[in-house]
Amino acid sequence: MDTKRRETDVQAPAAVPATRPPEMSPFEAVNYFFDLAADHIDLDDEMREILRTTYRELRVQVPVRMDDGRLVVFTGYRVQHNGARGPYKGGVRYHPDADLDEVRALASLMTWKTAVVDIPYGGAKGGVQCEPGILSQKELERLTRRFTSTISYVLGVNRDIPAPDVNTNAQTMAWMMDAYSSRYGYTPAIVTGKPVELGGSYGRDAATGRGVVYSLREAARDLGVDLQGATVAIQGFGNVGSWTARLIGEIGCKVVSVSDVRGGIYRGDGLDVQALFDHVQESGTVVDFPGVDGITNEELLTLGVDVLIPAALSRVINEENAGTVRAGTIVEAANHPVTPAADVILAERGVNVIPDILANAGGVTVSYFEWVQNIQQFRWEEQQVNEQLAKTMARAWQEIYARATVDGVDLRLAAFAIAVEKVSRAARLRGYV
Ligand code: NAD
């Protein structure tokens, strides 16, 4: 990969560096965006040092007895980035790439995300390096219980509260809650994203996708993007991608392409998203849905659509393909889908990028509502959840847009600047520095 810095011949918008940054690891990339914000707000060196590094990193051995009798030892992580604004909060992902650097990056993003939507949490993330697709349900259950017990002493209702992320779901959270509760007593508020039957919140399953749709609706209004009949391509059809696809019609958009790990599909007249969802429940993939054209994941990213929504993994839009993206608006439903080098290229080309720390914050927002309901032992109606989510996303967007306009910076830098200010103020008030 070409890591040389190159001069660009296009006038960069204010506060966008005139040179392209090299490609970097996920944690380096999050700190790159942090550094831009820290420079922008003139943050002092002591606070920078605290916020560029993580508070606590736990690496654990997760031995699991397989169904065939073999013992396989997995590696798991829980990283707590910053807790100045409240208990650590963040998902748990099961994926072969879930190494320490990626988990650090995702933990740091959670710190900034919870600050952007102004919910009283810090940032954390967890991961187990594994290939969950080849594990049976029983193996996944044993892995989850073992991982939870092993990290349980850094968890707590007022200390650190996990949630689902890539390849984990409400069932995973049920096992986590049960494993924690068997040691410490019944504790529903120890995880969020639980099944409704076990104290989960109405609306949590859909919340991240719903938040993606709300953030696009708010942004489009201010940025002058017409969403009536706008075409949308979504990479990833898991929790976030499929809910985004199912809800985005409510704001006038038409989904023409989606994909999953096995490939993508395209239909210019629009996909019947509910039929596709039902199909995926049966077959496990989008690729064999009838009446559509097959495309690759790479082709999906460069389709001539109005809105592109990466909702799978990180770094999918990078220096190599950013110049070929044709969508006018990108909504970052996934965490860190756009690398710093790609971010500069997209800015040069005038593409609107709604940053992950706003766009996918609906999930953690409703996780917060779930935690509040568990502590209050009082369930909210789904309508109340969705209305509060809409208000939270709209308020966060307005703050970011106003800041971007006043400071003459892009949306990501505005979002990071707001977040870094909030976290550094809290850290100072608590006497961390
Ligand atoms: P998920 O496991 O439910 O779904 C992931 C989807 O991505 C699946 O359709 C999978 O097939 C697809 N995928 C996996 N590898 C791929 C590849 N190489 N190319 C194309 N598609 C691929 O995960 P999710 O919970 O929907 O999370 C998706 C993204 O959203 C992640 O970046 C996650 O961190 C972020 N996110 C999730 C939540 C949440 O509440 N679940 C909240 C905030 C952010």
Side-chain angles (χ1 to χ4, degrees):
M1 196 170 290
D2 179 13
T3 54
K4 282 199 302 269
R5 284 169 183 262
R6 278 188 266 151
E7 292 296 322
T8 60
D9 53 5
V10 180
Q11 180 70 44
V16 172
T19 51
R20 286 187 194 158
E23 292 294 6
M24 44 186 100
S25 80
F27 191 46
E28 286 168 345
V30 175
N31 273 339
Y32 167 85
F33 293 129
F34 165 80
D35 285 338
L36 288 182
D39 289 346
H40 183 65
I41 65 170
D42 209 11
L43 192 70
D44 66 84
D45 289 345
E46 289 177 350
M47 190 61 79
R48 275 180 203 237
E49 198 175 334
I50 289 191
L51 299 180
R52 284 187 111 259
T53 51
T54 61
Y55 172 69
R56 175 155 47 194
E57 299 180 341
L58 191 58
R59 175 190 174 282
V60 293
Q61 219 180 35
V62 189
V64 178
R65 186 68 64 191
M66 296 288 114
D67 293 344
D68 63 7
R70 280 175 310 130
L71 186 82
V72 176
V73 182
F74 297 95
T75 301
Y77 301 96
R78 186 72 185 170
V79 172
Q80 297 170 339
H81 174 260
N82 185 278
R85 298 183 62 262
Y88 300 99
K89 186 85 187 87
V92 171
R93 113 175 356 189
Y94 292 169
H95 197 272
D97 295 340
D99 60 11
L100 185 56
D101 186 273
E102 181 178 81
V103 178
R104 279 177 178 154
L106 295 165
S108 173
L109 280 177
M110 287 304 296
T111 300
W112 313 126
K113 192 179 304 183
T114 51
V116 157
V117 285
D118 205 16
I119 54 177
Y121 286 137
K125 202 79 180 191
V128 178
Q129 259 184 312
C130 64
E131 182 56 82
I134 58 171
L135 299 179
S136 71
Q137 277 295 101
K138 279 286 155 207
E139 288 165 345
L140 282 171
E141 179 176 348
R142 288 194 286 273
L143 180 148
T144 302
R145 290 183 181 281
R146 191 65 178 254
F147 176 59
T148 308
S149 309
T150 318
I151 65 167
S152 65
Y153 68 94
V154 300
L155 303 182
V157 172
N158 292 306
R159 182 176 291 170
D160 185 348
I161 307 125
D165 191 69
V166 173
N167 292 325
T168 58
N169 54 27
Q171 176 62 75
T172 322
M173 295 303 110
W175 292 327
M176 288 191 84
M177 183 194 95
D178 190 66
Y180 187 89
S181 295
S182 65
R183 182 177 283 203
Y184 297 96
Y186 177 63
T187 321
I190 190 60
V191 289
T192 58
K194 297 178 291 293
V196 171
E197 296 85 342
L198 297 180
S201 176
Y202 291 123
R204 173 59 184 91
D205 197 41
T208 309
R210 192 177 289 283
V212 169
V213 172
Y214 289 162
S215 67
L216 174 60
R217 179 182 65 189
E218 298 301 314
R221 195 178 295 140
D222 287 327
L223 299 174
V225 175
D226 184 6
L227 293 179
Q228 287 315 307
T231 52
V232 179
I234 303 175
Q235 184 184 55
F237 203 71
N239 171 277
V240 180
S242 70
W243 272 112
T244 302
R246 277 182 283 170
L247 296 170
I248 206 161
E250 290 176 9
I251 59 169
C253 298
K254 182 171 76 172
V255 181
V256 295
S257 181
V258 302
S259 68
D260 62 25
V261 67
R262 292 182 50 191
I265 57 173
Y266 175 83
R267 184 169 180 274
D269 290 339
L271 293 162
D272 180 343
V273 176
Q274 189 56 49
L276 174 63
F277 181 77
D278 295 341
H279 172 85
V280 171
Q281 298 303 101
E282 292 286 310
S283 77
T285 179
V286 300
V287 293
D288 49 8
F289 188 59
V292 297
D293 297 326
I295 59 168
T296 65
N297 263 292
E298 195 52 43
E299 285 166 344
L300 179 144
L301 296 172
T302 57
L303 283 174
V305 289
D306 299 308
V307 181
L308 174 63
I309 306 185
L313 297 177
S314 65
R315 300 193 284 174
V316 291
I317 302 173
N318 47 49
E319 187 170 29
E320 269 140 44
N321 63 5
T324 58
V325 167
R326 286 189 282 159
T329 300
I330 294 177
V331 191
E332 294 186 334
N335 281 309
H336 181 43
V338 173
T339 66
D343 208 45
V344 172
I345 296 168
L346 295 171
E348 288 166 3
R349 301 181 57 228
V351 178
N352 299 313
V353 179
I354 305 174
D356 49 5
I357 58 174
L358 171 72
N360 69 33
V364 73
T365 302
V366 177
S367 276
Y368 166 59
F369 300 158
E370 179 174 327
W371 181 75
V372 167
Q373 292 171 70
N374 293 153
I375 290 168
Q376 292 180 330
Q377 300 189 11
F378 183 80
R379 172 161 276 158
W380 300 5
E381 300 292 336
E382 184 167 358
Q383 191 185 348
Q384 184 184 358
V385 170
N386 293 343
E387 282 171 6
Q388 288 294 331
L389 172 62
K391 272 190 206 162
T392 304
M393 297 300 294
R395 199 173 43 225
W397 161 259
Q398 281 152 17
E399 208 180 337
I400 291 168
Y401 183 62
R403 183 66 178 262
T405 308
V406 170
D407 290 7
V409 298
D410 65 36
L411 296 169
R412 193 190 311 279
L413 180 49
F416 267 82
I418 291 166
V420 174
E421 277 172 357
K422 283 185 189 166
V423 175
S424 56
R425 267 203 303 273
R428 229 178 283 285
L429 286 165
R430 290 182 67 159
Y432 287 5
V433 178

